Amino acid sequence: MNFEDFIISPRNFRTENWQIGAGITKEIKEDSIVLLFVSDYRGANGDAEVQDFTGIRNEFYKLSQLDFEIPIVDLGDLVSGKSVQDSHYILQEVLSACHYKRAIPVIVGGSNDLAFSLFSALNFHTKSINYTQISNIISLKQGEMINEHTFLSKIFGAKTFSIKNYHHLGYQKHLNEADSVRLIKEVEFDIIRLAEMMNSTEKTEPFFRKADLVTVNCDAIESFSEPFSMNPQVNGLNRREVCAYMKEIGLSENLKSVGIFNYNIYSENQLNQQLLAQMIWYLIEGINIQRSHPKERHYEVFYVLVDDRQYAFKRDTFSNLWYFGDDENIENCVPCSRKDFDDAKKGWLNARLTKI
């Protein structure tokens, strides 16, 4: 199967030399960022008709390209398959092509269950995946059909999948079944409530730092006059907060795949289109910043005594980011925050740090 047969190439936009659209190409390049727009919303009770992403592209293409050095590719719009399973299969083919060229695919649009395809394609190339999801809903429903309520249980339940860590951010207690939350906690995955994400990214930055895969459910972003997402909510991350988190996603040291799902593609509201465009832009900025960081790092080590036991914290002297553990290999240390270190000095050690 030639996946190019299922992709509609984007139209050309007139842009200025300083705008990001001036440098965008249409073919997958090595070590690039690849945008692919998807219209299949059947997993969220929507339809699969090819939608018009022109408004979003128009807003995105006219943003500044600053000093970005990583090539940006706009592959186009994915034509939905005859069935949901067909769409997942085609998408996985495109994602694999990106991974073979060490490109970072950014899937925009489609329902949240497409995260299953991102995980499946990445699992073929990478083992022990660190997966971070921003979503207001935790659903572990069982079912033969894959949709936004069952995809997570399929990821956790597949014998061929290799998941190292799962972090669920933006959960809203009043929208969730208690059983799903309890099950996630029982397997010692992390759940972070919306309230803990507001106003600052400092506390939750460690959950992005080593992420291989990050998906964002737009239902976790607040809506007002016109819905921003397929399942709009009055409470959620605000516009500035979600852009700050998109930049944090881009700053991940291991980032290999990103999905932005459940955006309300039926909206013609220019402000919604601007927000989505700027979310993509901040993600790209973060990736460019991370690629500019020096490969060789140096760490200061601090020892803290808690309940008569000594623990080690490390601070990256370049980035000022913190880690927990005394292993010489920083990959074996747990990303943490300065607050975790300060709390340890006061005698309280975050349980998350010692569970691994």
Side-chain angles (χ1 to χ4, degrees):
M1 184 193 75
N2 190 350
F3 68 75
E4 284 93 347
D5 295 337
F6 294 89
I7 295 177
I8 301 172
S9 184
R11 53 167 281 198
N12 295 321
F13 289 81
R14 183 178 297 176
T15 56
E16 302 289 339
N17 289 336
W18 61 272
Q19 293 175 323
I20 202 167
I24 288 179
T25 59
K26 299 181 181 181
E27 293 184 2
I28 302 174
K29 296 182 178 181
E30 290 191 357
D31 299 305
S32 63
I33 299 167
V34 179
L35 303 177
L36 179 67
F37 294 81
V38 181
S39 299
D40 195 333
Y41 283 82
R42 285 175 287 190
N45 295 321
D47 58 42
E49 297 288 331
V50 175
Q51 300 297 324
D52 186 5
F53 290 92
T54 300
I56 298 164
R57 281 193 173 95
N58 185 51
E59 295 294 338
F60 174 67
Y61 276 42
K62 66 186 183 183
L63 298 175
S64 173
Q65 62 178 327
L66 293 185
D67 54 354
F68 296 164
E69 295 183 354
I70 301 175
I72 302 172
V73 178
D74 185 350
L75 208 55
D77 302 343
L78 189 72
V79 177
S80 302
K82 187 175 181 180
S83 67
V84 173
Q85 288 76 13
D86 291 337
S87 289
H88 278 270
Y89 178 79
I90 298 165
L91 179 56
Q92 288 174 39
E93 291 291 309
V94 180
L95 292 165
S96 286
C98 293
H99 294 317
Y100 276 119
K101 294 195 173 185
R102 300 184 307 277
I104 299 176
V106 179
I107 309 305
V108 181
S111 49
N112 205 37
D113 58 288
L114 295 178
F116 179 87
S117 282
L118 271 66
F119 193 99
S120 181
L122 185 57
N123 185 72
F124 184 78
H125 298 266
T126 303
K127 299 305 177 186
S128 298
I129 294 172
N130 291 302
Y131 174 26
T132 297
Q133 180 183 191
I134 297 178
S135 178
N136 58 341
I137 297 293
I138 302 173
S139 178
L140 294 175
K141 289 184 178 179
Q142 306 285 328
E144 184 176 342
M145 300 299 294
I146 185 167
N147 56 48
E148 63 178 354
H149 301 295
T150 62
F151 82 91
L152 200 54
S153 64
K154 290 183 181 296
I155 288 176
F156 292 158
K159 295 180 180 179
T160 56
F161 284 177
S162 175
I163 186 165
K164 182 178 181 180
N165 289 306
Y166 174 69
H167 309 300
H168 194 111
L169 281 59
Y171 142 78
Q172 295 183 39
K173 187 167 21 176
H174 57 279
L175 299 175
N176 285 273
E177 294 181 51
D179 286 347
S180 292
V181 177
R182 177 180 52 78
L183 285 171
I184 293 286
K185 290 181 177 178
E186 282 180 357
V187 295
E188 296 189 328
F189 288 145
D190 297 295
I191 298 177
I192 305 299
R193 292 179 57 194
L194 171 65
E196 298 178 71
M197 298 181 68
M198 297 168 67
N199 302 320
S200 172
T201 62
E202 182 180 359
K203 184 174 182 178
T204 49
E205 177 278 330
F207 299 115
F208 297 103
R209 199 181 309 168
K210 297 292 184 181
D212 300 290
L213 166 65
V214 181
T215 62
V216 179
N217 180 354
C218 288
D219 296 340
I221 302 166
E222 65 181 12
S223 292
F224 280 106
S225 57
E226 186 166 347
F228 181 73
S229 69
M230 294 298 290
N231 304 298
Q233 298 293 327
V234 67
N235 285 310
L237 296 172
N238 66 33
R239 292 158 174 79
R240 288 171 293 280
E241 289 167 344
V242 73
C243 287
Y245 277 109
M246 295 306 296
K247 184 175 179 178
E248 291 292 353
I249 293 168
L251 287 169
S252 166
E253 299 170 7
N254 299 332
L255 189 65
K256 300 177 182 68
S257 196
V258 179
I260 305 173
F261 303 125
N262 273 18
Y263 170 74
N264 179 17
I265 188 56
Y266 310 111
S267 170
E268 296 181 0
N269 186 304
Q270 185 181 7
L271 296 180
N272 280 349
Q273 295 170 351
Q274 279 185 6
L275 177 56
L276 183 58
Q278 291 180 26
M279 287 168 61
I280 300 168
W281 189 92
Y282 277 100
L283 170 69
I284 292 171
E285 183 192 30
I287 295 171
N288 274 270
I289 292 172
Q290 177 56 235
R291 293 276 180 93
S292 71
H293 286 178
K295 300 301 180 185
E296 186 175 338
R297 301 293 182 86
H298 301 280
Y299 302 92
E300 289 183 319
V301 183
F302 302 86
Y303 292 97
V304 178
L305 203 63
V306 180
D307 294 333
D308 297 326
R309 184 173 177 181
Q310 182 175 272
Y311 296 94
F313 286 83
K314 296 183 179 182
R315 185 183 73 88
D316 186 324
T317 57
F318 174 79
S319 66
N320 202 33
L321 297 177
W322 289 78
Y323 296 83
F324 174 80
D326 57 3
D327 197 295
E328 291 186 4
N329 184 356
I330 199 66
E331 294 298 321
N332 296 327
C333 297
V334 182
C336 65
S337 66
R338 172 60 190 260
K339 185 177 185 302
D340 290 323
F341 171 63
D342 290 339
D343 287 342
K345 288 193 296 182
K346 298 174 184 176
W348 185 81
L349 191 66
N350 191 328
R352 177 181 70 86
L353 303 178
T354 57
K355 73 181 182 182
I356 298 176

